[in-house]
Amino acid sequence: MQLDELVTSNNIENEAWQALENSILYYQGRPIGTVAAYDASVEALNYDQCFVRDFVSSALIFLIKGRKDIVRNFLEETLKLQPKEKALDAYKPGRGLIPASFKVVSSNGQEYLEADFGEHAIARVTPVDSCLWWIILLRAYVIATEDFSLAYQPEFQNGIRLIMDICLANRFDMYPTLLVPDGACMIDRRMGIYGHPLEIQVLFYAALRAAREMLICQGNQDIVAAIDNRLPLLCAHIRQHYWIDINRLNAIYRFKSEEYGKGAVNLFNIYVDSLPYYELDKWLPKKGGYFAGNVGPSQLDSRFFALGNLMAIISDLATEEQSQAIMTLIEERWEDLVGDMPMKICFPALENEEYRIVTGCDPKNIPWSYHNAGNWPVLMWMLAAAGVKTKKIGLVHKAIELAQERLSEDEWPEYYDGKKGRLIGKQARKYQTWTIAGFLLAKELTKNPSYLPLVSFDELPPEVVSRACEFEIGSVDSYMSR
Ligand code: GLC
């Protein structure tokens, strides 16, 4: 890098640090989180609140920089917001949930926290991802501080247990994945991701692994046994049934349907005509592949979702081969998936009739905008972490360089629109905290790959994965050999 480039890059980083500092939220004199956006030019709505999923990006960079107090305060205070009693009242949040967001409210000179479990949010969406991110962040804290004592405190053990309870509870279906409503994660609007969306499944997997590391067995044997049972099944299910590459597409293309009983190969009765297979045939590079957005009865959503795919690499849910294939896809389809701003939240956009039916004519989610294939700079840290893990550092540098000047010039927008991500998002806020933190985190992770273990996991032992095959019928190998 030239000297003047280095100076510019350092200036941008300093500016980002200052902006992150401005976003810190204080409660009773202590820092406890960051607001979603610090933009005085537009009505705040709920962007002046601390969102759990958004704070994870800030928290990781704070941990890296030794600012552990803010993360600890956040974990302690959000844990207090978790409902601990069984609620049979339909309008009360379920036991174990962690809110989507919270704000500091003052009354009679006293400050208290007000949580939103979706009861105030636009469209009243359920934040399923919050409790999963919360566990993942607690583990990151433990690793960064090398101090298990916080997680071992009885309140924290109980908090983890309650989250596991709600995830592993009795339910209607028998998939290893979690069945959730639409908009239950980063994409918190109707986007046709109800059912078993990849993002939730990957976060679920990472949370199960994190919980397994932190739960003390004494008194938690039942939960630990349930985690040990679920992990390999979930892992094998995603690796097998969500995977799309050219070989798999070939297999699906020749799928038989209406198979009944044990010998079924097309387990979910996917009808080939529901897939845009001619487009996929053109689009899929020879060696690339990715996990589908959703799998359910006669449903295989072939859209590419960035968060789920990148976190699958980071959390080791993807095999080494699959991880390399996802990165190859990103490299080979850079113009589509990254364009001028890392990176697309999903690809391709829902258009025309499909857009109208699936989003409910949402004007914020018109094709190539916002959640409907907009570009979200926060995803850059996950791209960086996945790049570090798969040793694709060149690709990460390219992404950071693309982003850095524009982000600062455009005042750190929430998202970008357009096929190439060149338009500042139509309703994007400026000084969006996770844009700022995502950028800083991407830089730190590339400068110092030793921070990766804060979010990454090692491989599940092979004997645990192969156990899953006892339960699974119609594995990839079995239909490929037919
Ligand atoms: C939007 C995003 C959501 C985020 C929130 C606050 O609703 O879709 O993922 O948490 O803004 O930034």
Side-chain angles (χ1 to χ4, degrees):
M1 204 187 274
Q2 304 280 325
L3 189 61
D4 52 342
E5 280 172 355
L6 192 66
V7 172
T8 317
S9 156
N10 285 343
N11 287 344
I12 295 172
E13 251 183 272
N14 290 340
E15 185 195 309
W17 275 113
Q18 189 50 52
L20 185 61
E21 201 68 44
N22 294 343
S23 74
I24 296 179
L25 187 68
Y26 289 86
Y27 175 53
Q28 299 177 346
R30 300 180 313 151
I32 51 153
T34 48
V35 295
Y38 186 69
D39 180 359
S41 67
V42 276
E43 199 195 339
L45 298 176
N46 52 356
Y47 281 80
D48 57 355
Q49 302 200 12
C50 177
F51 279 75
V52 170
R53 72 174 73 85
D54 295 39
F55 181 66
V56 172
S57 314
S58 311
L60 293 172
I61 193 80
F62 285 136
L63 286 176
I64 285 175
K65 290 293 168 185
R67 304 267 299 264
K68 292 158 192 160
D69 54 332
I70 183 168
V71 183
R72 188 184 177 106
N73 296 339
F74 169 89
L75 289 165
E76 285 173 346
E77 293 302 332
T78 43
L79 179 61
K80 289 183 200 156
L81 299 173
Q82 180 191 44
K84 306 288 187 300
E85 301 304 326
K86 204 170 191 165
L88 293 174
D89 176 341
Y91 281 125
K92 293 257 166 66
R95 179 169 65 178
L97 281 181
I98 296 284
S101 64
F102 62 84
K103 63 178 171 185
V104 180
V105 182
S106 297
S107 154
N108 300 328
Q110 284 273 319
E111 274 186 349
Y112 62 95
L113 294 183
E114 197 177 284
D116 183 3
F117 289 86
E119 67 271 45
H120 304 294
I122 296 168
R124 305 293 183 261
V125 279
T126 314
V128 177
D129 63 342
S130 291
C131 59
L132 307 174
W133 276 122
W134 187 88
I135 295 189
I136 295 167
L137 182 60
L138 176 60
R139 173 181 177 266
Y141 176 89
V142 164
I143 293 177
T145 56
E146 293 177 0
D147 176 12
F148 267 85
S149 63
L150 184 71
Y152 288 166
Q153 283 178 16
E155 302 80 38
F156 275 79
Q157 287 288 304
N158 188 43
I160 302 171
R161 200 190 147 93
L162 292 181
I163 296 172
M164 289 295 106
D165 267 347
I166 200 167
C167 292
L168 300 168
N170 286 331
R171 60 221 164 98
F172 289 111
D173 66 346
M174 289 197 298
Y175 292 7
T177 38
L178 278 184
L179 175 64
V180 300
D182 217 335
C185 52
M186 176 185 183
I187 297 181
D188 55 2
R189 286 173 172 252
R190 196 172 142 196
M191 269 288 290
I193 56 166
Y194 54 86
H196 306 87
L198 180 69
E199 175 170 338
I200 291 289
Q201 313 316 324
V202 176
L203 295 177
F204 179 37
Y205 176 79
L208 283 176
R209 295 206 58 183
R212 183 66 176 88
E213 285 178 17
M214 294 185 295
L215 275 176
I216 299 173
C217 280
Q218 218 177 5
N220 288 320
Q221 290 92 335
D222 52 340
I223 295 284
V224 170
I227 295 175
D228 286 352
N229 172 273
R230 192 68 165 264
L231 263 176
L233 301 184
L234 178 64
C235 179
H237 183 92
I238 304 283
R239 286 180 178 180
Q240 292 174 9
H241 301 301
Y242 282 63
W243 187 247
I244 300 182
D245 62 10
I246 197 66
N247 288 337
R248 170 92 162 120
L249 189 67
N250 262 297
I252 297 170
Y253 186 59
R254 293 164 60 86
F255 262 169
K256 292 196 196 79
S257 52
E258 318 302 329
E259 293 174 304
Y260 175 80
K262 276 204 164 180
V265 170
N266 180 4
L267 226 58
F268 301 103
N269 201 31
I270 308 294
Y271 296 110
V272 183
D273 285 345
S274 69
L275 262 92
Y277 51 87
Y278 283 131
E279 273 154 49
L280 281 172
D281 168 42
K282 268 193 294 185
W283 193 70
L284 275 172
K286 242 187 199 157
K287 293 204 163 133
Y290 65 102
F291 291 114
N294 212 328
V295 173
S298 297
Q299 183 199 18
L300 178 67
D301 180 347
S302 62
R303 281 176 291 170
F304 171 92
F305 287 85
L307 195 154
N309 273 285
L310 296 173
M311 284 303 291
I313 297 176
I314 299 164
S315 67
D316 224 80
L317 175 54
T319 63
E320 171 62 27
E321 230 184 324
Q322 288 173 329
S323 298
Q324 289 297 334
I326 295 169
M327 295 310 283
T328 303
L329 178 82
I330 296 173
E331 221 170 354
E332 302 256 329
R333 294 293 171 260
W334 186 264
E335 285 305 304
D336 289 333
L337 300 176
V338 178
D340 276 13
M341 179 54 67
M343 78 177 273
K344 283 244 173 280
I345 193 165
C346 66
F347 179 88
L350 297 167
E351 297 189 272
N352 308 317
E353 202 52 17
E354 210 182 359
Y355 149 74
R356 280 189 285 276
I357 296 171
V358 174
T359 71
C361 298
D362 184 345
K364 210 168 168 182
N365 273 341
I366 53 169
W368 309 104
S369 181
Y370 198 49
H371 298 143
N372 192 7
N375 295 44
W376 290 67
V378 60
L379 296 168
M380 216 179 353
W381 80 256
M382 296 178 211
L383 180 63
V388 168
K389 188 148 187 196
T390 51
K391 308 208 167 32
K392 298 268 187 183
I393 291 293
L395 181 148
V396 180
H397 284 306
K398 197 168 140 192
I400 294 178
E401 261 165 48
L402 261 177
Q404 93 174 355
E405 284 202 21
R406 287 203 56 201
L407 285 181
S408 138
E409 254 176 58
D410 300 343
E411 301 175 299
W412 311 93
E414 181 184 13
Y415 66 98
Y416 286 79
D417 286 348
K419 286 200 174 170
K420 296 259 172 284
R422 289 198 187 149
L423 308 165
I424 299 176
K426 207 173 210 160
Q427 294 185 43
R429 265 138 226 283
K430 294 187 171 165
Y431 296 99
Q432 182 80 18
T433 306
W434 68 359
T435 295
I436 299 161
F439 165 75
L440 287 171
L441 200 46
K443 283 216 132 180
E444 288 302 323
L445 283 165
T446 36
K447 271 190 252 169
N448 200 339
S450 65
Y451 294 133
L452 185 65
L454 288 184
V455 279
S456 74
F457 290 84
D458 292 334
E459 229 175 298
L460 267 183
E463 66 278 9
V464 180
V465 184
S466 61
R467 240 198 66 208
C469 299
E470 298 164 22
F471 304 87
E472 287 272 325
I473 316 147
S475 71
V476 177
D477 293 343
S478 70
Y479 62 68
M480 290 306 284
S481 60
R482 273 196 178 187

